[in-house]
Amino acid sequence: MTDALKRLSDEGVAIWLDDLSRQRITSGNLAELIDQQHVVGVTTNPSIFQKAISDGHGYDQQVADLAARKVTVEEAIRMITTADVRDAADILRPVFDATGGQDGRVSIEVDPRLAHHTTPTIAEAKQLAWLVDRPNTLIKIPATKAGLPAITEVIGLGISVNVTLIFSLERYREVMDAYLAGLEKAKAAGLDLSLIRSVASFFVSRVDTEIDKRLEKLGTDEAKALKGKAALANARLAYEAYEEVFSSERWAALDKAGANKQRPLWASTGVKDPAYKDTLYVDELVAPGTVNTMPEATLEATGAHGDITGDTVRGTYAQAKADLDAIAELGISYDDVVQLLEDEGVEKFEASWNDLLKSTEAELKRLAPSEG
């Protein structure tokens, strides 16, 4: 079952699960995935927590206690989500120790309503790091314009960061720059750079979803021939940018001081179009020093029939550029697509956060004790 997952891991791809719930923690399922499916990390987002809290009764006791204390719904969400992240971090701690801190990581997101506000994002990142209080936590900060200086500041404080919602190559370069600037601040402050980690979450499937829709609308044979090529091309060129930045003189000085590279993380790797192989964004994005965070269905599909044949990224850059150029020549604006996807990404997480607020508020009311 797991030969393909082992091969993937052996190729230098860290396999993270894009899901977390209390049921997954208490049932032993997370520990089982770590033990049997080569899972070495977990990512969360507001959508994942909203689904977890809405399903079943795994949170009833804690919610009842929070209701008895009459906490606000925002505080309740923070208590619930950080409890899950702490427990998951403890389960993953042996992986963290075995990999010298590289893996065994659990991510938790700042309130997505802060995506366009720098100072509150920094404050929230500090608060989350304090609340979870585990060395193997990553605080997720979106790669919006307002997020970039927050990333620098938070890294500069020695807090490890998962930069999320990256769609464009230009923004990805800005993210790497923000990371290096943060490391330089941390170094100037005398912090141990070896303890600071970061991943840059480059979103994959949504790029195909949007560009394929535009290609389909054009309807020509030339347009249809380019379907399913944009997302891989975009991600592969991101890896080229990663190789360039982390072989620069600026990086060399930080490397000498003990810093860690910011690994590219392939996010949104579940295939949206049923016409494509369900492991497309795993099989075709194999490169050393990367992370692939998968929904459970993609993890199972990769274990069952993933086609892991070695590095499928390096050596593809010329073709990747040609594919994106061909799409641009048809009148599809790359800049327009990636900005739309960033805007939609923030909006979706905000909507999920609002749903999380509503469902948690309903649970607090349902489980509130009678007066007395």
Side-chain angles (χ1 to χ4, degrees):
M1 169 67 185
T2 59
D3 282 353
L5 292 168
K6 182 179 187 305
R7 286 198 300 276
L8 186 63
S9 186
D10 289 345
E11 288 291 340
V13 180
I15 300 166
W16 291 7
L17 177 70
D18 191 26
D19 191 49
L20 185 62
S21 68
R22 192 153 300 175
Q23 171 65 18
R24 198 180 282 286
I25 291 165
T26 57
S27 68
N29 173 261
L30 178 58
E32 190 178 285
L33 291 173
I34 295 163
D35 186 48
Q36 298 177 15
Q37 308 277 23
H38 303 277
V39 168
V40 293
V42 170
T43 48
T44 65
N45 62 45
S47 305
I48 287 168
F49 277 129
Q50 194 275 327
K51 185 176 183 299
I53 292 168
S54 299
D55 290 354
H57 298 281
Y59 296 87
D60 282 6
Q61 185 57 61
Q62 187 181 10
V63 173
D65 290 344
L66 291 165
R69 289 175 48 218
K70 294 184 168 59
V71 303
T72 65
V73 65
E74 279 91 352
E75 186 183 349
I77 287 169
R78 279 298 172 228
M79 293 301 104
I80 292 163
T81 57
T82 54
D84 279 0
V85 169
R86 262 196 306 278
D87 288 345
D90 290 343
I91 293 167
L92 278 154
R93 184 60 189 260
V95 176
F96 174 82
D97 292 338
T99 60
Q102 174 157 273
D103 288 306
R105 296 273 173 178
V106 187
S107 298
I108 184 168
E109 191 133 6
V110 297
D111 183 334
R113 296 173 298 180
L114 305 176
H116 300 299
H117 305 281
T118 303
T119 302
T121 293
I122 295 165
E124 172 113 340
K126 289 159 68 177
Q127 171 79 352
L128 282 172
W130 176 81
L131 266 176
V132 176
D133 194 27
R134 295 293 186 273
N136 50 332
T137 311
L138 291 169
I139 308 302
K140 286 177 88 172
I141 298 175
T144 54
K145 278 292 184 187
L148 295 170
I151 292 157
T152 295
E153 188 65 29
V154 172
I155 290 290
L157 294 169
I159 297 168
S160 295
V161 172
N162 175 345
V163 183
T164 188
L165 288 177
I166 308 170
F167 295 95
S168 85
L169 294 165
E170 181 185 358
R171 183 57 54 84
Y172 178 44
R173 286 184 178 275
E174 291 174 337
V175 165
M176 289 188 283
D177 181 70
Y179 175 62
L180 296 185
L183 288 175
E184 286 158 354
K185 285 188 79 156
K187 183 183 174 188
L191 300 182
D192 183 350
L193 300 192
S194 71
L195 299 179
I196 303 170
R197 296 279 180 170
S198 184
V199 293
S201 296
F202 201 86
F203 278 54
V204 184
S205 66
R206 294 184 196 180
V207 174
D208 269 345
T209 301
E210 182 59 33
I211 289 184
D212 282 2
K213 186 168 69 180
R214 298 182 186 208
L215 290 167
E216 189 66 42
K217 195 173 178 184
L218 290 172
T220 64
D221 289 344
E222 186 185 8
K224 287 178 179 175
L226 288 164
K227 283 180 69 177
K229 294 192 173 177
L232 291 175
N234 200 38
R236 286 164 170 172
L237 293 175
Y239 192 82
E240 181 186 38
Y242 157 78
E243 287 188 306
E244 183 187 311
V245 168
F246 289 99
S247 59
S248 65
E249 284 185 20
R250 184 183 182 191
W251 167 249
L254 290 163
D255 184 40
K256 196 174 176 184
N260 300 292
K261 291 178 181 178
Q262 181 186 55
R263 288 185 292 171
L265 178 152
W266 311 129
S268 184
T269 54
V271 170
K272 305 286 194 291
D273 187 335
Y276 301 151
K277 188 186 176 192
D278 53 4
T279 59
L280 175 69
Y281 304 126
V282 180
D283 298 349
E284 299 298 332
L285 290 175
V286 178
T290 58
V291 179
N292 195 310
T293 180
M294 308 178 202
E296 190 168 21
T298 305
L299 179 73
E300 288 176 356
T302 302
H305 51 256
D307 187 18
I308 309 303
T309 57
D311 190 331
T312 49
V313 173
R314 291 182 294 186
T316 67
Y317 305 145
Q319 184 60 53
K321 285 188 181 80
D323 287 342
L324 290 187
D325 287 345
I327 289 164
E329 281 164 21
L330 293 176
I332 294 171
S333 166
Y334 176 86
D335 290 342
D336 178 63
V337 167
V338 293
Q339 188 59 56
L340 174 73
L341 291 172
E342 180 185 303
D343 293 344
E344 284 183 351
V346 172
E347 285 167 15
K348 283 175 183 172
F349 280 170
E350 274 192 36
S352 295
W353 190 264
N354 288 329
D355 288 344
L356 178 58
L357 286 167
K358 284 175 196 161
S359 53
T360 304
E361 189 169 36
E363 288 295 281
L364 285 166
K365 283 178 181 166
R366 180 175 73 84
L367 295 164
S370 53
E371 292 300 321

